[in-house]
Amino acid sequence: MSNKLDSKIPAGPLAEKWTQYRSTVPLVNPANKRNLEVIVVGTGLAGASAAATLAELGYKVKAFCFQDSPRRAHSIAAQGGINAAKNYQNDGDSVYRLFYDTIKGGDYRAREGNVYRLAEVSVNIIDQCVAQGVPFAREYGGTLSNRSFGGTQVQRTFYAAGQTGQQLLLGAYSALERQVGLGNVKMYSRHEMLDVVTIEGKARGIIARNLVSGKLERHFGHAVLLCTGGYGNVFYLSTNAMGSNVTAAWKAHKKGAFFGNPCFTQIHPTCIPVSGHYQSKLTLMSESLRNDGRIWVPKQKDDKRHPNDIPEEERDYYLERRYPAFGNLVPRDIASRAAKERCDAGYGVGPSKMAVYLDFAYNLKNKYGRAEASKHGIENPDDATLIRLGREVVKEKYGNLFDMYKQITNEDPYEVPMRIYPAVHYTMGGLWVDYELMTTVPGLYALGEANFSDHGANRLGASALMQGLADGYFVIPYTVGSYLSKEIHTKPIDVNHEAFVEAEKAVQSRLDQFLNVKGTKTVESYHRELGLIMWNKCGMARSEEGLKEAIQEIRALREDFYKNVRVPGNQYEFNPELDKAGRVADFLELGELMCLDALDRNESCGGHFREEYQTEDGEALRDDEAYRYVAAWEYKGGNDWGLHKESLEYENIKIAQRSYK
Amino acid sequence: MGSEAMKITLKVWRQPNSKAEGKFETYQLDHVSPDMSFLEMFDVLNEQLIAEGGEPVAFDHDCREGICGMCSMFINGRPHGPKQAVTTCQLHMRSFKDGDTIVVEPWRAQSFPVIKDLTVDRSAFDRIIAAGGFVSVNTGNAVDANSILIPKDTADDAFAAATCIGCGACVAACKNSSAMLFVSAKVSQLALLPQGQAERENRVIAMVDQMDKEGFGSCTNTGACSAECPKEIDLSNIARMNREYVRAKLVSK
Amino acid sequence: MKVLQFLFTSSIGRKVLMALTGLFLILFLVIHLLGNLQLLKADDGYAFNKYAWFMTTNPLIKTVSYLLYATILLHAFKGLYLAYTNRKARGSKSYGAYNGNANSHWTSRNMGILGTLILAFIIGHMSDFWWEYKFGDIPWTKYETSITDETTIATDITAENHGAHIRMGVAGDKEVFITKDLYKETAEAFEQGWLVALYVLAMAAIAFHLWHGFASAFQTLGMNHPRWNPLINGIGKAFSVLVPAAFAIIPLYVYLLK
């Protein structure tokens, strides 16, 4: 295993790196592709697009997902949109600008080469998705429509109402199913990967559990692609799906894949606040709402008035006040911290006082109402008319989100401002990968949210979909060839090979371990407890003291877990509690590494905010001298990790204090 | 918000596996908050069952925000319960009254065999999509996105059909266990768009053939599917599929 | 005919067949009703019997009637088979609680039962009148219509006296029409209260069957358009009420006037 991190960024000018790479990367001829098997774990945007594309190229693909269908992967829940440097709006966008915005948005903690490639292929993604029949929003002339997202000043976000992720995933899913129908992909739904099998240092397959029969299965692959998403559920409450987990990535980590920047977590500013202790997950209200919603709190502390009764001059539009250049469209990390700051200072609203208002009244009436009125030739419209007209437009733009908000909170956002609060949404950290998306284990790749790349310390809105699809459709099909071209002589390895047997045995003993504790506490209760530790001490604000405490608490909790957890049922049946036990057990280990990483990073950047390191006006204080690196953690057994640093070089961008003022 | 706790009696279908006979079990929950989601109530029930040494109820769920299509409970005789345009995960207990008895069952269809308790196997849907629910365009073949102009109304109609989450409520609600709404949503989306034209005839025939092979019932236009669809997929999609199918059968070579 | 095979083999084909046969039967109802309305004429059954004679002798009509019988059988038995397979599609267990009224009209969920009732009615109806008219022993009547003033005189006759076949001819200044008197047969039948009640109920079944069936046929044939739906639904609802009502009025009228 390499101890030195080689990011394998191609030499040459930034704008030519990818073209150069593609033109010179070794190829695998079609006849050999048929003999090469690729395992794809996870079928979200990255996994489905990778599996489909590799199968189109001729590789033999096996795809795995734990859900009942590949279409259910959590990419489906992405609401707002996908960025692409198409410059269809003629507003000054370019590949370079998307690249620049992404690096800056990530607080200068991402690799130039990767991000530039991402911006380059972003345009192909839109073309590909449209060709598949993804019904993006369109203008009356038939061209594609765009909207704005946080951290940018151009309109480059393509969308399909508030269901962009769904439409993109269904596009990738249909491409995947096409290959399943053609026999090029073998699909394994309701299967969970429980270990990576390595032989002579190379990834050669996986151990998976059939979640219906409970049986363990061994699968060989010349290469293994982990497209298993992020680990936001370590916080228990997040906008992730209930099943989202770190298990696949964590098993890979324990088999030698370094974990990159684990502490970089994105807390999304606009989520529906927690309503009770029984809460199982949090629901996002798309960032696109910040196009038209204005965020405010009362100027007066503990104001008990109904929001509609608080007059304009007694409202504090704190984002517009603090960041006049970007206003309500500042990046997520900044918007989240600003909300927390207001609530901590006692200006929060709602029953829990841990919420701020997201208010559409102004734009509904003044922006859309007036535009519609003038479109219809109504002169001097009264307020009621403006509201009626504006409401129609808002309904078309955000109707499904407004309905969802009302369904959850029982309040009508057309009438009353939404109450929102930040919640865990995305993890920029993940398995460390090089330019080819390969982890430190040869033959083992990580794509999409599962890897650490591209977003630095903070991801811009509408960039996750872009990255997932870029990795799957346009990056891995080239880069995997670089490795597989050297594997054409490797015959499929019999799954009775001792490495498979050993790996399966280890998985089996872990399952037995869970089932044999027979304690008294539910898996859920441990998860909830872990989440609370993580949220309080490794969440939006972190401190050395808190993180040190958190590590001790997590260790104690983990110990307790193996003494007192109760996992009902047995292995050889459909047993969601057993599945959950495995996932929570891995979160209990990951949580410690996240705290360790946060403790190591004595600076504030992006989603990582250390209370000790802030400017006088409460902005994140980066330390580029000491921490301009990717922290890649090597697992060394037990509670021991070694840190490897990949220094980040900026040759094309001048590092600056990130400012949205 | 935060109104009084409710007492709820649950009659839940319990079936250990696909081969076993199932039966209803009755459970009592005394502290149900009206702000809880229906699935959160099941979380509470399951924690209670585990604490008592019992077996938790197995049910499918994932995103809990109404979009993944995984949740699938048949509640008081209706898929996804009493509210319109809402999935089970987005159904809140305030839609019920204190003292209510709620009957919860799995989707029932020959093509959706029960795996355990409230969990069913919906892989038939995947096979229908694999039969033809796609545009055959390999990665890299696409032209510039704006070179395909699509009138806004067409794009909107295609989108409306494409919002199907594949939950199977249409099949569950239909007295014939027909999957026509699901299949027609995909057929419609791609029949409406210019990108779908090349495979228009083959697609509808292949998808309908697969649908029939899976053993779903025939549509008799009761409209239950659309009325219960959490995404309100319109019946006009089924009419469009009928048109497409007959046309394809009459003109395809 | 391979091109039409799909009408029998695929789920959509089968429902298209149901729609086409259904619409044909709807058309037949109109023709049948026009004939039945002749019963209401106060002409001792002249018009009605003439209609009956025309319907049973005209070669074109005869051909169509075979098509009609085939259609009825096809519609009925395909429908029953459909109901059977659709029931099977639910699987071995049905729901413990099923609230169909929440999402669909009961008529739409009971087309099989309504159709079975209608089929039973048609069998009874055919044996009452069609069979009787063709093969039964029913009264005969001779109509003599003056060519000059177009007045008609009806005389009861017996078949034995006039040869057992229906005929029309001219004798002097009179058109003579000798026929089996289906009118009388009908009038006598509808003097029985229970039969009238049965007919009215059967018409109710038809009304409910059409309440769903009429518009449903158009949906099946792919006609669903926001601009046309109100028209189709409106005509469908009006048809499903008015036509069976008109059918039902006749026995009631006869019964009440007896």
Side-chain angles (χ1 to χ4, degrees):
Chain A
M1 184 191 315
S2 75
N3 268 330
K4 234 183 100 232
L5 292 169
D6 179 4
S7 61
K8 295 197 203 147
I9 304 284
L14 183 66
E16 287 160 34
K17 284 181 196 289
W18 179 235
T19 317
Q20 183 65 22
Y21 177 90
R22 280 193 303 165
S23 314
T24 52
V25 67
L27 300 175
V28 181
N29 88 32
N32 285 331
K33 280 190 184 124
R34 280 194 289 277
N35 299 324
L36 291 168
E37 299 177 34
V38 181
I39 287 175
V40 179
V41 186
T43 58
L45 287 178
S49 59
T53 306
L54 293 175
E56 286 163 12
L57 288 172
Y59 294 108
K60 275 164 80 175
V61 177
K62 284 180 176 180
F64 295 79
C65 69
F66 71 79
Q67 297 92 341
D68 74 326
S69 160
R71 67 180 291 153
R72 316 234 188 258
H74 196 52
S75 306
I76 203 137
Q79 298 170 352
I82 175 165
N83 289 329
K86 280 282 195 185
N87 193 30
Y88 281 159
Q89 304 305 320
N90 196 29
D91 56 359
D93 200 10
S94 65
V95 168
Y96 184 86
R97 202 179 283 277
L98 173 53
F99 154 74
Y100 178 83
D101 286 346
T102 307
I103 293 271
K104 177 188 170 191
D107 220 353
Y108 305 96
R109 290 293 174 266
R111 269 186 212 141
E112 279 192 341
N114 282 54
V115 176
Y116 195 87
R117 174 179 66 187
L118 177 65
E120 258 182 296
V121 301
S122 69
V123 298
N124 305 104
I125 294 171
I126 302 302
D127 298 343
Q128 183 62 31
C129 293
V130 167
Q132 289 170 342
V134 170
F136 284 119
R138 288 181 182 262
E139 305 292 346
Y140 281 99
T143 54
L144 290 158
S145 179
N146 289 115
R147 60 184 171 202
S148 304
F149 254 63
T152 67
Q153 289 170 315
V154 293
Q155 293 197 15
R156 65 160 73 99
T157 305
F158 295 80
Y159 64 100
Q163 286 150 266
T164 318
Q166 181 200 24
Q167 294 309 314
L168 295 174
L169 181 64
L170 293 182
Y173 159 74
S174 68
L176 171 63
E177 286 298 336
R178 174 175 160 237
Q179 295 304 320
V180 171
L182 292 170
N184 300 330
V185 175
K186 178 100 180 73
M187 185 67 225
Y188 294 86
S189 294
R190 292 200 196 268
H191 274 68
E192 183 153 42
M193 186 201 109
L194 292 179
D195 209 354
V196 180
V197 178
T198 55
I199 297 174
E200 290 162 3
K202 288 178 176 175
R204 290 301 188 193
I206 62 168
I207 304 296
R209 181 164 169 262
N210 177 331
L211 299 183
V212 177
S213 70
K215 290 193 181 107
L216 295 179
E217 297 172 3
R218 307 168 193 167
H219 295 275
F220 164 79
H222 286 90
V224 176
L225 276 49
L226 302 183
C227 313
T228 49
Y231 47 86
N233 269 348
V234 68
F235 291 90
Y236 185 69
L237 286 181
S238 81
T239 65
N240 285 5
M242 301 302 287
S244 300
N245 66 78
V246 76
T247 292
W250 196 248
K251 302 303 183 196
H253 176 54
K254 292 178 107 172
K255 280 284 168 83
F258 292 3
F259 213 103
N261 296 334
C263 82
F264 286 169
T265 312
Q266 176 157 83
I267 316 279
H268 197 293
T270 53
C271 299
I272 301 177
V274 177
S275 71
H277 64 279
Y278 47 78
Q279 190 111 15
S280 60
K281 81 154 264 156
L282 296 168
T283 303
L284 174 76
M285 287 286 109
S286 167
E287 177 158 318
S288 61
L289 292 172
R290 283 199 275 143
N291 269 306
D292 293 313
R294 300 178 70 197
I295 293 177
W296 62 275
V297 291
K299 280 186 179 164
Q300 190 187 313
K301 267 188 197 179
D302 202 23
D303 196 331
K304 290 205 168 52
R305 283 176 293 178
H306 187 277
N308 291 349
D309 296 336
I310 301 178
E312 195 61 25
E313 59 278 8
E314 291 178 44
R315 301 176 175 191
D316 176 14
Y317 294 95
Y318 59 86
L319 287 177
E320 296 170 31
R321 167 170 62 79
R322 286 177 64 180
Y323 308 100
F326 280 68
N328 292 297
L329 282 174
V330 292
R332 292 175 176 175
D333 53 336
I334 292 176
S336 290
R337 264 199 303 280
K340 180 178 177 356
E341 187 275 330
R342 283 292 85 186
C343 293
D344 289 350
Y347 296 92
V349 299
S352 63
K353 298 282 162 210
M354 290 307 271
V356 299
Y357 290 125
L358 177 61
D359 194 341
F360 298 87
Y362 180 83
N363 281 320
L364 187 146
K365 196 172 111 189
N366 295 301
K367 182 169 159 192
Y368 295 119
R370 284 196 196 286
E372 286 295 296
S374 74
K375 215 196 284 181
H376 292 102
I378 303 168
E379 289 189 28
N380 302 322
D382 58 10
D383 277 7
T385 313
L386 288 174
I387 289 171
R388 181 174 53 79
L389 292 170
R391 200 185 157 113
E392 285 310 306
V393 183
V394 169
K395 194 179 165 80
E396 182 173 337
K397 284 188 125 127
Y398 311 113
N400 66 324
L401 299 171
F402 276 45
D403 293 346
M404 185 156 51
Y405 181 86
K406 189 175 178 199
Q407 182 55 31
I408 293 172
T409 63
N410 212 19
E411 286 177 0
D412 183 0
Y414 291 103
E415 308 283 339
V416 188
M418 283 184 183
R419 279 175 299 108
I420 50 151
Y421 196 69
V424 175
H425 179 55
Y426 185 88
T427 49
M428 283 73 68
L431 293 176
W432 183 92
V433 291
D434 60 23
Y435 191 71
E436 297 184 321
L437 306 182
M438 201 197 280
T439 64
T440 47
V441 176
L444 181 66
Y445 293 80
L447 282 66
E449 192 180 348
N451 71 32
F452 87 103
S453 73
D454 301 1
H455 304 296
N458 172 56
R459 178 176 65 77
L460 290 183
S463 283
L465 304 187
M466 172 172 70
Q467 187 221 337
L469 289 180
D471 287 359
Y473 281 135
F474 296 108
V475 178
I476 198 73
Y478 291 96
T479 60
V480 82
S482 156
Y483 174 76
L484 290 178
S485 61
K486 297 179 205 87
E487 292 291 331
I488 54 175
H489 301 296
T490 309
K491 296 273 165 293
I493 296 170
D494 184 8
V495 292
N496 291 319
H497 186 287
E498 60 176 333
F500 278 96
V501 176
E502 283 304 309
E504 186 187 300
K505 209 183 276 174
V507 169
Q508 182 61 53
S509 74
R510 191 165 161 87
L511 291 173
D512 293 340
Q513 189 182 11
F514 296 140
L515 287 162
N516 290 338
V517 178
K518 299 192 196 303
T520 52
K521 289 164 76 179
T522 60
V523 175
E524 198 75 7
S525 67
Y526 284 100
H527 195 182
R528 211 176 275 136
E529 227 172 302
L530 172 68
L532 215 56
I533 300 171
M534 294 302 290
W535 179 244
N536 289 336
K537 294 178 176 166
C538 195
M540 266 195 286
R542 299 151 175 190
S543 68
E544 185 181 342
E545 191 194 356
L547 289 165
K548 283 181 172 159
E549 284 167 14
I551 289 172
Q552 294 313 316
E553 286 167 19
I554 293 167
R555 285 181 182 171
L557 189 63
R558 196 161 61 215
E559 204 169 306
D560 191 70
F561 178 86
Y562 289 102
K563 277 189 195 137
N564 293 312
V565 74
R566 179 185 195 90
V567 181
N570 67 67
Q571 182 189 336
Y572 298 103
E573 62 173 341
F574 184 71
N575 188 349
E577 281 297 312
L578 179 58
D579 312 342
K580 197 158 67 181
R583 296 167 191 168
V584 171
D586 291 333
F587 281 137
L588 282 166
E589 296 175 14
L590 165 78
E592 180 174 341
L593 178 63
M594 288 171 72
C595 294
L596 191 64
D597 185 43
L599 199 56
D600 168 74
R601 199 169 273 280
N602 290 312
E603 64 163 353
S604 294
C605 63
H608 169 65
F609 191 77
R610 284 278 299 272
E611 284 166 341
E612 305 94 318
Y613 307 99
Q614 51 182 310
T615 63
E616 274 174 14
D617 43 2
E619 303 295 337
L621 189 63
R622 258 186 6 239
D623 180 350
D624 292 325
E625 282 296 303
Y627 294 98
R628 205 185 64 237
Y629 62 74
V630 176
W633 296 90
E634 179 186 3
Y635 184 68
K636 294 191 159 170
N639 299 331
D640 194 14
W641 281 275
L643 174 62
H644 301 259
K645 299 175 183 175
E646 178 200 342
S647 177
L648 291 166
E649 307 305 331
Y650 290 94
E651 293 162 355
N652 299 275
I653 281 185
K654 199 173 152 303
I655 298 195
Q657 165 86 30
R658 197 166 63 132
S659 168
Y660 293 93
K661 289 187 188 241
Chain B
M1 300 282 287
S3 11
E4 293 305 297
M6 315 195 297
K7 278 190 170 50
I8 296 287
T9 306
L10 285 172
K11 283 180 75 181
V12 183
W13 184 260
R14 302 303 307 265
Q15 182 175 336
N17 56 59
S18 56
K19 289 177 195 76
E21 277 289 306
K23 62 177 194 298
F24 282 105
E25 293 279 355
T26 304
Y27 303 103
Q28 195 69 44
L29 286 173
D30 291 338
H31 303 286
V32 175
S33 156
D35 290 326
M36 260 180 195
S37 74
F38 201 80
L39 296 185
E40 282 165 349
M41 175 183 66
F42 266 81
D43 293 341
V44 171
L45 169 66
N46 276 351
E47 288 214 58
Q48 192 176 303
L49 286 173
I50 296 167
E52 291 162 357
E55 275 265 343
V57 181
F59 60 93
D60 265 336
H61 64 107
D62 201 23
C63 79
R64 295 207 178 184
E65 47 189 277
I67 195 77
C68 75
M70 199 139 170
C71 60
S72 52
M73 293 182 185
F74 204 80
I75 301 162
N76 281 347
R78 300 179 66 184
H80 297 306
K83 292 208 77 169
Q84 298 287 314
V86 155
T87 53
T88 300
C89 64
Q90 295 274 284
L91 177 67
H92 284 69
M93 293 313 294
R94 69 178 83 91
S95 300
F96 297 88
K97 290 194 306 290
D98 187 21
D100 274 359
T101 295
I102 306 174
V103 182
V104 189
E105 299 171 73
W107 286 175
R108 293 202 188 278
Q110 184 184 243
S111 316
F112 288 168
V114 171
I115 291 175
K116 184 178 180 180
D117 299 337
L118 304 174
T119 309
V120 299
D121 178 355
R122 286 168 288 189
S123 51
F125 274 9
D126 289 331
R127 291 190 291 273
I128 293 172
I129 297 295
F134 46 74
V135 174
S136 295
V137 53
N138 282 1
T139 305
N141 279 342
V143 294
D144 182 78
N146 258 353
S147 63
I148 307 170
L149 294 181
I150 301 171
K152 185 173 184 303
D153 289 345
T154 310
D156 288 351
D157 287 350
F159 171 74
T163 56
C164 168
I165 56 174
C167 64
C170 44
V171 176
C174 177
K175 78 171 200 35
N176 308 324
S177 313
S178 167
M180 291 276 279
L181 194 67
F182 168 78
V183 182
S184 71
K186 189 47 81 182
V187 167
S188 269
Q189 179 202 344
L190 298 177
L192 280 162
L193 294 170
Q195 300 93 306
Q197 298 309 307
E199 298 164 282
R200 194 168 159 189
E201 282 105 29
N202 290 346
R203 174 182 306 116
V204 67
I205 290 174
M207 290 181 74
V208 170
D209 283 357
Q210 187 63 37
M211 170 181 86
D212 291 352
K213 214 181 285 171
E214 296 291 348
F216 291 104
S218 286
C219 173
T220 57
N221 304 329
T222 67
C225 52
S226 182
E228 297 292 11
C229 174
K231 297 297 150 184
E232 301 180 298
I233 305 287
D234 199 80
L235 273 189
S236 61
N237 291 300
I238 295 184
R240 184 177 292 105
M241 175 162 80
N242 295 341
R243 269 194 323 263
E244 291 289 319
Y245 182 79
V246 172
R247 187 179 150 276
K249 277 290 179 186
L250 295 180
V251 307
S252 71
K253 287 176 188 149
Chain C
M1 292 308 272
K2 194 155 177 275
V3 72
L4 293 180
Q5 208 174 18
F6 76 96
L7 292 175
F8 297 89
T9 52
S10 83
S11 59
I12 293 184
R14 279 196 287 268
K15 65 187 237 146
V16 167
L17 193 67
M18 290 302 286
L20 291 174
T21 50
L23 287 175
F24 183 70
L25 294 175
I26 283 172
L27 201 67
F28 165 69
L29 281 182
V30 178
I31 310 287
H32 191 333
L33 179 62
L34 290 178
N36 283 17
L37 289 175
Q38 311 300 320
L39 280 164
L40 299 182
K41 276 197 179 170
D43 61 354
D44 289 327
Y46 175 70
F48 182 73
N49 278 327
K50 224 170 144 181
Y51 157 78
W53 179 60
F54 174 76
M55 293 302 274
T56 45
T57 50
N58 183 297
L60 181 72
I61 300 284
K62 264 182 130 165
T63 319
V64 173
S65 71
Y66 288 117
L67 184 64
L68 176 70
Y69 304 145
T71 306
I72 292 174
L73 291 176
L74 206 57
H75 190 84
F77 288 102
K78 269 282 163 195
L80 285 171
Y81 178 68
L82 203 61
Y84 165 74
T85 50
N86 282 345
R87 183 168 284 254
K88 231 176 56 180
R90 181 101 290 156
S92 55
K93 282 256 170 7
S94 57
Y95 287 113
Y98 182 76
N99 185 0
N101 285 329
N103 51 41
S104 54
H105 199 269
W106 71 267
T107 54
S108 73
R109 298 193 309 277
N110 291 289
M111 292 298 275
I113 290 169
L114 290 168
T116 308
L117 290 175
I118 295 166
L119 181 65
F121 164 73
I122 290 174
I123 293 167
H125 179 58
M126 298 267 290
S127 67
D128 260 5
F129 296 113
W130 180 84
W131 179 269
E132 283 294 311
Y133 185 67
K134 287 222 141 168
F135 310 109
D137 180 23
I138 72 168
W140 285 72
T141 296
K142 178 164 91 175
Y143 295 97
E144 289 170 303
T145 310
S146 158
I147 290 171
T148 46
D149 61 1
E150 295 200 349
T151 53
T152 302
I153 299 162
T155 324
D156 291 352
I157 53 174
T158 54
E160 290 77 29
N161 297 343
H162 293 89
H165 69 283
I166 301 168
R167 60 194 185 275
M168 183 179 271
V170 178
D173 62 347
K174 282 179 186 141
E175 182 207 72
V176 180
F177 176 34
I178 293 170
T179 182
K180 285 186 179 175
D181 194 347
L182 189 61
Y183 175 79
K184 200 176 280 168
E185 173 78 6
T186 310
E188 278 167 13
F190 288 153
E191 280 171 13
Q192 295 157 280
W194 64 272
L195 192 70
V196 173
L198 218 60
Y199 266 69
V200 172
L201 282 177
M203 291 311 113
I206 292 182
F208 289 127
H209 198 73
L210 291 178
W211 185 260
H212 172 69
F214 191 101
S216 174
F218 287 86
Q219 159 80 6
T220 293
L221 296 175
M223 283 173 242
N224 181 323
H225 191 285
R227 206 167 286 170
W228 292 95
N229 289 351
L231 188 71
I232 294 172
N233 289 330
I235 293 176
K237 300 282 184 261
F239 188 98
S240 65
V241 173
L242 295 179
V243 171
F247 271 111
I249 280 172
I250 294 160
L252 279 173
Y253 177 82
V254 172
Y255 179 72
L256 294 174
L257 277 191
K258 73 174 172 187

